[in-house]
Amino acid sequence: METPRIDIWYGIAEIMDFGYPQNLSPEILKLYITQEGVRSPFSSKPKDKPVPNATLQVTGAVGWRREGLAYKKNEVFLDIVESVNLLMSSKGNVLRCDVTGKVLMKCFLSGMPDLKLGLNDKIGLEKESEMKSRPAKSGKTIELDDVTFHQCVNLTRFNSEKTVSFVPPDGEFELMKYRITEGVNLPFRVLPTIKELGRTRMEVNVKVKSVFGAKMFALGVVVKIPVPKQTAKTNFQVTTGRAKYNPSIDCLVWKIRKFPGQTESTLSAEIELISTMGEKKSWTRPPIQMEFQVPMFTASGLRVRFLKVWEKSGYNTVEWVRYITKAGSYEIRC
C-alpha cells in the first residue's frame, strides 16, 4: 500500500509562497519530484534513492543548470532560423514584409561556462565602439524589434553593454526571439502575368527569380498558382522542375527541388475552362503562394560576429553556426 507522493507537495511548496509564484522553472522542480511514493515497510520493492539537495540549485545564481557536468568533447551549436513574410502587389510593390527569427542553441559544455554572443545589430555595435572609444567598423547593421530572451541571459549586462551574455542550460534551448521590419532581403521575386482569352481560356506566365548569392541555393521550392474552380484542362511548360494541376486546391503546383541563386525559372500555362450557360462570375484571383528553405542565408541580414566561451578550467571548445531562412506567409497578388 502506498501513500500519496509527498515529493509533489514539496514541488508545489516551492512554486507558491503565501499565494505568490516563486519558482516556475521545470528543471528545478524536476529535482523535487523524484520519488514514487512512501512505501509500506512490508513492501518487497527496493527503497527509493535519496532526494538530491535541490535547495542548493534553487538558491544558486544559475537555477537552470546543474553542477558537475562533464563532456569529453565540448561543443556549441548555434542556429539562426528565420521566417520571411511577404505580401506583394501584382505590380511588384511590397505591401507588407517582415522577418521573425529565433536563435536556437545546443550546448554540450563541461562545468559552468560563461558565453558571450556578438551580433551585427546596430545598437550593440554602437555601444561597443563607444566603450572602445573608436568608430564602429563599416558593414551592414540591423535593428532588432520585439526581442525576447531566455531566462539565462544577463539582462543587466545587456542593458548596459548591449551584449548577450549567459550561462547556458545543458542541451537544447531557445536563446532569443526577434522581429525585423526594415531592410529585409527578399530571397525570391515573382513576376506573374495572367490573361483571360475569352470566356473559356486563360494564359498564365510566372517568372521566379532568386535574389540571394550565386553560391547559395534554395531547397524544396513550391509555387502554388491559383486557377478558377471551373478549370477543365491545363497545358503547361516549365524551364525547371515539375508542375501539375491539383483540383482539390484549385492550383497549379510547381515544385523545384533545388533552386540556385541568381537564376530564374518560368512557367507558361494554357487553361481551358468549363463553359457555363449562366452569367459568368468574376474570378477573385487569390495570391500566388511560395514555400522554400534557403540554407546559410538570412533575410534580415543578421550575422554572428563572435561566440566566446569562458570556463575556469580553460578547456577548448568547438563552435558551429548555421543559418536558414524559410517561407512564412509568402504571397504575391496576381
Side-chain angles (χ1 to χ4, degrees):
M1 180 177 180
E2 296 183 1
T3 60
R5 295 177 55 178
I6 60 175
D7 56 337
I8 294 181
W9 295 107
Y10 289 150
I12 295 175
E14 287 299 321
I15 293 176
M16 305 295 290
D17 189 6
F18 293 99
Y20 293 95
Q22 298 296 320
N23 189 359
L24 301 178
S25 173
E27 299 302 323
I28 296 303
L29 297 177
K30 287 177 184 178
L31 299 175
Y32 288 92
I33 306 174
T34 56
Q35 304 178 73
E36 294 183 2
V38 179
R39 302 184 183 280
S40 167
F42 301 101
S43 174
S44 60
K45 295 182 180 180
K47 294 183 179 181
D48 296 316
K49 296 181 180 179
V51 182
N53 190 353
T55 306
L56 294 178
Q57 298 285 351
V58 176
T59 57
V62 185
W64 52 87
R65 184 182 178 90
R66 62 185 178 87
E67 298 182 356
L69 294 172
Y71 291 97
K72 291 183 179 180
K73 186 176 182 180
N74 293 280
E75 294 180 293
V76 179
F77 299 87
L78 187 148
D79 294 340
I80 294 182
V81 181
E82 294 188 343
S83 295
V84 56
N85 305 300
L86 170 71
L87 178 60
M88 181 176 288
S89 70
S90 58
K91 297 182 180 180
N93 299 322
V94 177
L95 304 178
R96 185 179 67 246
C97 185
D98 69 89
V99 173
T100 57
K102 297 180 180 180
V103 178
L104 307 176
M105 297 197 71
K106 186 184 296 183
C107 294
F108 302 108
L109 298 173
S110 304
M112 280 288 181
D114 189 7
L115 276 65
K116 186 175 181 181
L117 174 66
L119 303 171
N120 62 330
D121 62 297
K122 183 177 181 181
I123 298 178
L125 287 173
E126 289 178 352
K127 189 67 177 180
E128 181 180 325
S129 62
E130 179 183 329
M131 295 177 63
K132 294 181 179 180
S133 300
R134 63 185 184 188
K137 295 181 180 180
S138 59
K140 181 178 179 179
T141 59
I142 63 174
E143 295 189 22
L144 300 177
D145 301 324
D146 304 330
V147 182
T148 57
F149 293 107
H150 187 275
Q151 63 172 333
C152 68
V153 175
N154 189 327
L155 296 180
T156 302
R157 187 179 296 181
F158 178 79
N159 292 330
S160 60
E161 304 176 9
K162 299 302 177 184
T163 57
V164 183
S165 302
F166 57 100
V167 177
D170 187 43
E172 298 182 33
F173 67 100
E174 182 182 288
L175 179 65
M176 60 182 284
K177 294 189 296 186
Y178 59 90
R179 189 170 70 94
I180 290 175
T181 56
E182 301 292 336
V184 176
N185 302 315
L186 297 176
F188 287 99
R189 291 276 182 180
V190 180
L191 306 174
T193 303
I194 297 179
K195 297 180 181 179
E196 296 187 21
L197 308 175
R199 293 172 58 89
T200 60
R201 290 183 60 225
M202 291 180 57
E203 188 176 272
V204 177
N205 291 284
V206 178
K207 181 183 292 185
V208 180
K209 294 183 178 181
S210 55
V211 189
F212 47 87
K215 295 182 179 180
M216 301 178 185
F217 53 86
L219 298 174
V221 178
V222 179
V223 185
K224 296 180 180 179
I225 305 163
V227 295
K229 287 184 177 295
Q230 64 269 29
T231 297
K233 184 179 179 181
T234 60
N235 183 21
F236 42 78
Q237 294 180 343
V238 294
T239 58
T240 309
R242 295 181 179 180
K244 68 177 182 179
Y245 168 55
N246 189 335
S248 63
I249 58 175
D250 299 317
C251 285
L252 300 178
V253 181
W254 181 16
K255 295 184 179 181
I256 303 173
R257 187 178 60 86
K258 188 174 182 180
F259 203 127
Q262 299 298 313
T263 60
E264 65 180 43
S265 297
T266 58
L267 176 146
S268 301
E270 294 181 357
I271 312 296
E272 292 185 15
L273 308 177
I274 298 174
S275 179
T276 57
M277 297 298 294
E279 183 180 353
K280 180 182 177 182
K281 295 182 180 180
S282 60
W283 182 40
T284 56
R285 292 197 180 189
I288 295 173
Q289 298 179 336
M290 282 196 70
E291 301 173 7
F292 55 80
Q293 289 190 1
V294 188
M296 303 312 294
F297 171 81
T298 55
S300 67
L302 186 66
R303 284 289 182 268
V304 175
R305 296 190 295 119
F306 60 81
L307 178 60
K308 299 179 181 179
V309 181
W310 288 278
E311 214 280 329
K312 60 183 180 180
S313 62
Y315 56 71
N316 295 323
T317 60
V318 179
E319 297 89 17
W320 306 89
V321 179
R322 297 186 301 180
Y323 305 91
I324 187 168
T325 292
K326 301 184 295 183
S329 176
Y330 207 89
E331 299 182 338
I332 301 91
R333 291 178 178 174
C334 53

PDB file of all heavy atoms in Angstrom, residues 132-160:
ATOM      1  N   LYS A 132      34.949  51.264 -26.607  1.00  0.00           N
ATOM      2  CA  LYS A 132      36.339  51.176 -27.049  1.00  0.00           C
ATOM      3  C   LYS A 132      36.881  52.519 -27.540  1.00  0.00           C
ATOM      4  O   LYS A 132      38.047  52.601 -27.938  1.00  0.00           O
ATOM      5  CB  LYS A 132      36.461  50.136 -28.170  1.00  0.00           C
ATOM      6  CG  LYS A 132      36.180  48.718 -27.697  1.00  0.00           C
ATOM      7  CD  LYS A 132      36.347  47.728 -28.838  1.00  0.00           C
ATOM      8  CE  LYS A 132      36.098  46.305 -28.371  1.00  0.00           C
ATOM      9  NZ  LYS A 132      36.264  45.326 -29.468  1.00  0.00           N
ATOM     10  N   SER A 133      36.026  53.558 -27.531  1.00  0.00           N
ATOM     11  CA  SER A 133      36.428  54.919 -27.936  1.00  0.00           C
ATOM     12  C   SER A 133      37.002  54.941 -29.342  1.00  0.00           C
ATOM     13  O   SER A 133      38.026  55.580 -29.601  1.00  0.00           O
ATOM     14  CB  SER A 133      37.454  55.498 -26.932  1.00  0.00           C
ATOM     15  OG  SER A 133      36.893  55.566 -25.642  1.00  0.00           O
ATOM     16  N   ARG A 134      36.333  54.246 -30.250  1.00  0.00           N
ATOM     17  CA  ARG A 134      36.753  54.279 -31.643  1.00  0.00           C
ATOM     18  C   ARG A 134      35.530  54.049 -32.528  1.00  0.00           C
ATOM     19  O   ARG A 134      34.545  53.472 -32.078  1.00  0.00           O
ATOM     20  CB  ARG A 134      37.813  53.218 -31.938  1.00  0.00           C
ATOM     21  CG  ARG A 134      37.350  51.793 -31.744  1.00  0.00           C
ATOM     22  CD  ARG A 134      38.509  50.828 -31.936  1.00  0.00           C
ATOM     23  NE  ARG A 134      38.072  49.443 -31.838  1.00  0.00           N
ATOM     24  CZ  ARG A 134      38.911  48.420 -31.808  1.00  0.00           C
ATOM     25  NH1 ARG A 134      40.223  48.628 -31.864  1.00  0.00           N
ATOM     26  NH2 ARG A 134      38.452  47.190 -31.713  1.00  0.00           N
ATOM     27  N   PRO A 135      35.569  54.554 -33.768  1.00  0.00           N
ATOM     28  CA  PRO A 135      34.403  54.416 -34.638  1.00  0.00           C
ATOM     29  C   PRO A 135      34.080  52.965 -34.941  1.00  0.00           C
ATOM     30  O   PRO A 135      34.958  52.110 -34.982  1.00  0.00           O
ATOM     31  CB  PRO A 135      34.807  55.173 -35.915  1.00  0.00           C
ATOM     32  CG  PRO A 135      36.306  55.181 -35.885  1.00  0.00           C
ATOM     33  CD  PRO A 135      36.688  55.235 -34.437  1.00  0.00           C
ATOM     34  N   ALA A 136      32.793  52.708 -35.170  1.00  0.00           N
ATOM     35  CA  ALA A 136      32.358  51.343 -35.493  1.00  0.00           C
ATOM     36  C   ALA A 136      32.840  50.937 -36.874  1.00  0.00           C
ATOM     37  O   ALA A 136      32.998  51.762 -37.771  1.00  0.00           O
ATOM     38  CB  ALA A 136      30.834  51.245 -35.425  1.00  0.00           C
ATOM     39  N   LYS A 137      33.094  49.637 -37.033  1.00  0.00           N
ATOM     40  CA  LYS A 137      33.540  49.129 -38.326  1.00  0.00           C
ATOM     41  C   LYS A 137      32.414  49.238 -39.351  1.00  0.00           C
ATOM     42  O   LYS A 137      31.243  49.140 -39.027  1.00  0.00           O
ATOM     43  CB  LYS A 137      33.986  47.660 -38.188  1.00  0.00           C
ATOM     44  CG  LYS A 137      35.209  47.486 -37.310  1.00  0.00           C
ATOM     45  CD  LYS A 137      35.603  46.019 -37.254  1.00  0.00           C
ATOM     46  CE  LYS A 137      36.840  45.819 -36.381  1.00  0.00           C
ATOM     47  NZ  LYS A 137      37.233  44.398 -36.326  1.00  0.00           N
ATOM     48  N   SER A 138      32.816  49.456 -40.593  1.00  0.00           N
ATOM     49  CA  SER A 138      31.824  49.549 -41.660  1.00  0.00           C
ATOM     50  C   SER A 138      31.229  48.171 -41.935  1.00  0.00           C
ATOM     51  O   SER A 138      31.862  47.145 -41.738  1.00  0.00           O
ATOM     52  CB  SER A 138      32.467  50.100 -42.938  1.00  0.00           C
ATOM     53  OG  SER A 138      33.527  49.260 -43.355  1.00  0.00           O
ATOM     54  N   GLY A 139      30.004  48.141 -42.401  1.00  0.00           N
ATOM     55  CA  GLY A 139      29.308  46.889 -42.673  1.00  0.00           C
ATOM     56  C   GLY A 139      27.836  47.043 -42.352  1.00  0.00           C
ATOM     57  O   GLY A 139      27.416  48.023 -41.723  1.00  0.00           O
ATOM     58  N   LYS A 140      27.056  46.089 -42.807  1.00  0.00           N
ATOM     59  CA  LYS A 140      25.624  46.185 -42.602  1.00  0.00           C
ATOM     60  C   LYS A 140      25.257  45.944 -41.149  1.00  0.00           C
ATOM     61  O   LYS A 140      25.738  45.015 -40.517  1.00  0.00           O
ATOM     62  CB  LYS A 140      24.893  45.182 -43.493  1.00  0.00           C
ATOM     63  CG  LYS A 140      23.386  45.265 -43.333  1.00  0.00           C
ATOM     64  CD  LYS A 140      22.652  44.323 -44.244  1.00  0.00           C
ATOM     65  CE  LYS A 140      21.153  44.447 -44.024  1.00  0.00           C
ATOM     66  NZ  LYS A 140      20.379  43.557 -44.900  1.00  0.00           N
ATOM     67  N   THR A 141      24.423  46.817 -40.615  1.00  0.00           N
ATOM     68  CA  THR A 141      23.885  46.644 -39.278  1.00  0.00           C
ATOM     69  C   THR A 141      22.364  46.571 -39.382  1.00  0.00           C
ATOM     70  O   THR A 141      21.766  47.120 -40.302  1.00  0.00           O
ATOM     71  CB  THR A 141      24.280  47.802 -38.348  1.00  0.00           C
ATOM     72  OG1 THR A 141      23.797  49.037 -38.896  1.00  0.00           O
ATOM     73  CG2 THR A 141      25.792  47.877 -38.194  1.00  0.00           C
ATOM     74  N   ILE A 142      21.750  45.906 -38.439  1.00  0.00           N
ATOM     75  CA  ILE A 142      20.298  45.736 -38.455  1.00  0.00           C
ATOM     76  C   ILE A 142      19.724  46.185 -37.127  1.00  0.00           C
ATOM     77  O   ILE A 142      20.430  46.244 -36.106  1.00  0.00           O
ATOM     78  CB  ILE A 142      19.913  44.270 -38.738  1.00  0.00           C
ATOM     79  CG1 ILE A 142      20.435  43.366 -37.608  1.00  0.00           C
ATOM     80  CG2 ILE A 142      20.441  43.811 -40.070  1.00  0.00           C
ATOM     81  CD1 ILE A 142      19.976  41.955 -37.723  1.00  0.00           C
ATOM     82  N   GLU A 143      18.451  46.510 -37.140  1.00  0.00           N
ATOM     83  CA  GLU A 143      17.738  46.906 -35.933  1.00  0.00           C
ATOM     84  C   GLU A 143      16.754  45.805 -35.556  1.00  0.00           C
ATOM     85  O   GLU A 143      15.850  45.477 -36.323  1.00  0.00           O
ATOM     86  CB  GLU A 143      17.003  48.234 -36.148  1.00  0.00           C
ATOM     87  CG  GLU A 143      17.942  49.416 -36.383  1.00  0.00           C
ATOM     88  CD  GLU A 143      17.204  50.741 -36.380  1.00  0.00           C
ATOM     89  OE1 GLU A 143      16.100  50.798 -35.795  1.00  0.00           O
ATOM     90  OE2 GLU A 143      17.726  51.699 -36.960  1.00  0.00           O
ATOM     91  N   LEU A 144      16.952  45.245 -34.369  1.00  0.00           N
ATOM     92  CA  LEU A 144      16.090  44.170 -33.885  1.00  0.00           C
ATOM     93  C   LEU A 144      14.878  44.758 -33.173  1.00  0.00           C
ATOM     94  O   LEU A 144      15.007  45.683 -32.371  1.00  0.00           O
ATOM     95  CB  LEU A 144      16.863  43.259 -32.929  1.00  0.00           C
ATOM     96  CG  LEU A 144      18.102  42.555 -33.498  1.00  0.00           C
ATOM     97  CD1 LEU A 144      18.799  41.765 -32.407  1.00  0.00           C
ATOM     98  CD2 LEU A 144      17.716  41.630 -34.639  1.00  0.00           C
ATOM     99  N   ASP A 145      13.702  44.218 -33.475  1.00  0.00           N
ATOM    100  CA  ASP A 145      12.463  44.640 -32.826  1.00  0.00           C
ATOM    101  C   ASP A 145      11.900  43.482 -32.013  1.00  0.00           C
ATOM    102  O   ASP A 145      12.111  42.315 -32.340  1.00  0.00           O
ATOM    103  CB  ASP A 145      11.412  45.067 -33.862  1.00  0.00           C
ATOM    104  CG  ASP A 145      11.905  46.214 -34.740  1.00  0.00           C
ATOM    105  OD1 ASP A 145      12.624  47.071 -34.216  1.00  0.00           O
ATOM    106  OD2 ASP A 145      11.574  46.220 -35.942  1.00  0.00           O
ATOM    107  N   ASP A 146      11.173  43.826 -30.953  1.00  0.00           N
ATOM    108  CA  ASP A 146      10.441  42.829 -30.153  1.00  0.00           C
ATOM    109  C   ASP A 146      11.349  41.668 -29.736  1.00  0.00           C
ATOM    110  O   ASP A 146      11.028  40.490 -29.946  1.00  0.00           O
ATOM    111  CB  ASP A 146       9.241  42.280 -30.931  1.00  0.00           C
ATOM    112  CG  ASP A 146       8.298  43.379 -31.393  1.00  0.00           C
ATOM    113  OD1 ASP A 146       8.223  44.400 -30.694  1.00  0.00           O
ATOM    114  OD2 ASP A 146       7.656  43.219 -32.446  1.00  0.00           O
ATOM    115  N   VAL A 147      12.483  41.981 -29.133  1.00  0.00           N
ATOM    116  CA  VAL A 147      13.434  40.953 -28.720  1.00  0.00           C
ATOM    117  C   VAL A 147      13.019  40.370 -27.371  1.00  0.00           C
ATOM    118  O   VAL A 147      12.695  41.107 -26.433  1.00  0.00           O
ATOM    119  CB  VAL A 147      14.859  41.522 -28.629  1.00  0.00           C
ATOM    120  CG1 VAL A 147      15.854  40.426 -28.246  1.00  0.00           C
ATOM    121  CG2 VAL A 147      15.255  42.163 -29.938  1.00  0.00           C
ATOM    122  N   THR A 148      13.000  39.045 -27.274  1.00  0.00           N
ATOM    123  CA  THR A 148      12.771  38.361 -26.000  1.00  0.00           C
ATOM    124  C   THR A 148      13.890  37.340 -25.795  1.00  0.00           C
ATOM    125  O   THR A 148      14.325  36.692 -26.742  1.00  0.00           O
ATOM    126  CB  THR A 148      11.409  37.644 -25.964  1.00  0.00           C
ATOM    127  OG1 THR A 148      11.336  36.712 -27.060  1.00  0.00           O
ATOM    128  CG2 THR A 148      10.272  38.642 -26.098  1.00  0.00           C
ATOM    129  N   PHE A 149      14.334  37.208 -24.529  1.00  0.00           N
ATOM    130  CA  PHE A 149      15.473  36.348 -24.200  1.00  0.00           C
ATOM    131  C   PHE A 149      15.058  35.193 -23.300  1.00  0.00           C
ATOM    132  O   PHE A 149      14.047  35.268 -22.594  1.00  0.00           O
ATOM    133  CB  PHE A 149      16.567  37.155 -23.495  1.00  0.00           C
ATOM    134  CG  PHE A 149      17.234  38.180 -24.355  1.00  0.00           C
ATOM    135  CD1 PHE A 149      16.971  39.530 -24.174  1.00  0.00           C
ATOM    136  CD2 PHE A 149      18.124  37.807 -25.342  1.00  0.00           C
ATOM    137  CE1 PHE A 149      17.581  40.487 -24.956  1.00  0.00           C
ATOM    138  CE2 PHE A 149      18.745  38.756 -26.134  1.00  0.00           C
ATOM    139  CZ  PHE A 149      18.477  40.104 -25.940  1.00  0.00           C
ATOM    140  N   HIS A 150      15.879  34.156 -23.331  1.00  0.00           N
ATOM    141  CA  HIS A 150      15.781  33.071 -22.358  1.00  0.00           C
ATOM    142  C   HIS A 150      16.191  33.629 -20.992  1.00  0.00           C
ATOM    143  O   HIS A 150      16.933  34.600 -20.894  1.00  0.00           O
ATOM    144  CB  HIS A 150      16.713  31.920 -22.781  1.00  0.00           C
ATOM    145  CG  HIS A 150      16.565  30.690 -21.959  1.00  0.00           C
ATOM    146  ND1 HIS A 150      17.237  30.508 -20.759  1.00  0.00           N
ATOM    147  CD2 HIS A 150      15.829  29.559 -22.148  1.00  0.00           C
ATOM    148  CE1 HIS A 150      16.939  29.321 -20.266  1.00  0.00           C
ATOM    149  NE2 HIS A 150      16.077  28.728 -21.088  1.00  0.00           N
ATOM    150  N   GLN A 151      15.705  33.002 -19.936  1.00  0.00           N
ATOM    151  CA  GLN A 151      15.991  33.494 -18.589  1.00  0.00           C
ATOM    152  C   GLN A 151      17.476  33.457 -18.228  1.00  0.00           C
ATOM    153  O   GLN A 151      17.909  34.135 -17.302  1.00  0.00           O
ATOM    154  CB  GLN A 151      15.217  32.674 -17.559  1.00  0.00           C
ATOM    155  CG  GLN A 151      15.616  31.191 -17.524  1.00  0.00           C
ATOM    156  CD  GLN A 151      14.971  30.448 -16.373  1.00  0.00           C
ATOM    157  OE1 GLN A 151      14.658  31.036 -15.347  1.00  0.00           O
ATOM    158  NE2 GLN A 151      14.777  29.148 -16.554  1.00  0.00           N
ATOM    159  N   CYS A 152      18.267  32.700 -18.991  1.00  0.00           N
ATOM    160  CA  CYS A 152      19.695  32.606 -18.674  1.00  0.00           C
ATOM    161  C   CYS A 152      20.475  33.859 -19.074  1.00  0.00           C
ATOM    162  O   CYS A 152      21.598  34.069 -18.617  1.00  0.00           O
ATOM    163  CB  CYS A 152      20.313  31.382 -19.354  1.00  0.00           C
ATOM    164  SG  CYS A 152      20.382  31.492 -21.164  1.00  0.00           S
ATOM    165  N   VAL A 153      19.910  34.727 -19.920  1.00  0.00           N
ATOM    166  CA  VAL A 153      20.625  35.910 -20.397  1.00  0.00           C
ATOM    167  C   VAL A 153      20.703  36.945 -19.280  1.00  0.00           C
ATOM    168  O   VAL A 153      19.716  37.227 -18.591  1.00  0.00           O
ATOM    169  CB  VAL A 153      19.921  36.511 -21.630  1.00  0.00           C
ATOM    170  CG1 VAL A 153      20.595  37.814 -22.051  1.00  0.00           C
ATOM    171  CG2 VAL A 153      19.940  35.512 -22.777  1.00  0.00           C
ATOM    172  N   ASN A 154      21.884  37.522 -19.119  1.00  0.00           N
ATOM    173  CA  ASN A 154      22.122  38.563 -18.119  1.00  0.00           C
ATOM    174  C   ASN A 154      21.558  39.882 -18.654  1.00  0.00           C
ATOM    175  O   ASN A 154      22.197  40.570 -19.443  1.00  0.00           O
ATOM    176  CB  ASN A 154      23.625  38.682 -17.841  1.00  0.00           C
ATOM    177  CG  ASN A 154      23.923  39.585 -16.660  1.00  0.00           C
ATOM    178  OD1 ASN A 154      23.213  40.552 -16.410  1.00  0.00           O
ATOM    179  ND2 ASN A 154      24.993  39.271 -15.947  1.00  0.00           N
ATOM    180  N   LEU A 155      20.353  40.235 -18.214  1.00  0.00           N
ATOM    181  CA  LEU A 155      19.695  41.426 -18.725  1.00  0.00           C
ATOM    182  C   LEU A 155      20.366  42.711 -18.263  1.00  0.00           C
ATOM    183  O   LEU A 155      20.343  43.723 -18.968  1.00  0.00           O
ATOM    184  CB  LEU A 155      18.216  41.430 -18.307  1.00  0.00           C
ATOM    185  CG  LEU A 155      17.364  40.293 -18.871  1.00  0.00           C
ATOM    186  CD1 LEU A 155      15.935  40.417 -18.390  1.00  0.00           C
ATOM    187  CD2 LEU A 155      17.409  40.287 -20.395  1.00  0.00           C
ATOM    188  N   THR A 156      20.964  42.677 -17.092  1.00  0.00           N
ATOM    189  CA  THR A 156      21.667  43.871 -16.604  1.00  0.00           C
ATOM    190  C   THR A 156      22.830  44.215 -17.519  1.00  0.00           C
ATOM    191  O   THR A 156      23.025  45.387 -17.894  1.00  0.00           O
ATOM    192  CB  THR A 156      22.176  43.638 -15.166  1.00  0.00           C
ATOM    193  OG1 THR A 156      21.082  43.316 -14.319  1.00  0.00           O
ATOM    194  CG2 THR A 156      22.880  44.885 -14.643  1.00  0.00           C
ATOM    195  N   ARG A 157      23.596  43.196 -17.904  1.00  0.00           N
ATOM    196  CA  ARG A 157      24.717  43.441 -18.810  1.00  0.00           C
ATOM    197  C   ARG A 157      24.234  43.806 -20.199  1.00  0.00           C
ATOM    198  O   ARG A 157      24.847  44.635 -20.880  1.00  0.00           O
ATOM    199  CB  ARG A 157      25.604  42.194 -18.876  1.00  0.00           C
ATOM    200  CG  ARG A 157      26.900  42.399 -19.669  1.00  0.00           C
ATOM    201  CD  ARG A 157      27.747  41.146 -19.686  1.00  0.00           C
ATOM    202  NE  ARG A 157      28.197  40.798 -18.351  1.00  0.00           N
ATOM    203  CZ  ARG A 157      28.981  39.746 -18.096  1.00  0.00           C
ATOM    204  NH1 ARG A 157      29.361  38.949 -19.102  1.00  0.00           N
ATOM    205  NH2 ARG A 157      29.355  39.479 -16.869  1.00  0.00           N
ATOM    206  N   PHE A 158      23.105  43.222 -20.618  1.00  0.00           N
ATOM    207  CA  PHE A 158      22.588  43.569 -21.931  1.00  0.00           C
ATOM    208  C   PHE A 158      22.132  45.027 -21.979  1.00  0.00           C
ATOM    209  O   PHE A 158      22.371  45.730 -22.966  1.00  0.00           O
ATOM    210  CB  PHE A 158      21.427  42.640 -22.294  1.00  0.00           C
ATOM    211  CG  PHE A 158      20.794  42.958 -23.623  1.00  0.00           C
ATOM    212  CD1 PHE A 158      21.400  42.548 -24.801  1.00  0.00           C
ATOM    213  CD2 PHE A 158      19.604  43.672 -23.695  1.00  0.00           C
ATOM    214  CE1 PHE A 158      20.824  42.852 -26.035  1.00  0.00           C
ATOM    215  CE2 PHE A 158      19.034  43.973 -24.925  1.00  0.00           C
ATOM    216  CZ  PHE A 158      19.639  43.566 -26.089  1.00  0.00           C
ATOM    217  N   ASN A 159      21.481  45.495 -20.928  1.00  0.00           N
ATOM    218  CA  ASN A 159      21.012  46.881 -20.900  1.00  0.00           C
ATOM    219  C   ASN A 159      22.156  47.883 -20.846  1.00  0.00           C
ATOM    220  O   ASN A 159      22.055  48.988 -21.390  1.00  0.00           O
ATOM    221  CB  ASN A 159      20.087  47.097 -19.693  1.00  0.00           C
ATOM    222  CG  ASN A 159      18.780  46.350 -19.843  1.00  0.00           C
ATOM    223  OD1 ASN A 159      18.295  46.146 -20.952  1.00  0.00           O
ATOM    224  ND2 ASN A 159      18.201  45.920 -18.731  1.00  0.00           N
ATOM    225  N   SER A 160      23.269  47.506 -20.199  1.00  0.00           N
ATOM    226  CA  SER A 160      24.384  48.441 -20.065  1.00  0.00           C
ATOM    227  C   SER A 160      25.383  48.325 -21.214  1.00  0.00           C
ATOM    228  O   SER A 160      25.878  49.334 -21.722  1.00  0.00           O
ATOM    229  CB  SER A 160      25.106  48.204 -18.735  1.00  0.00           C
ATOM    230  OG  SER A 160      25.620  46.872 -18.676  1.00  0.00           O
TER     231      SER A 160
END
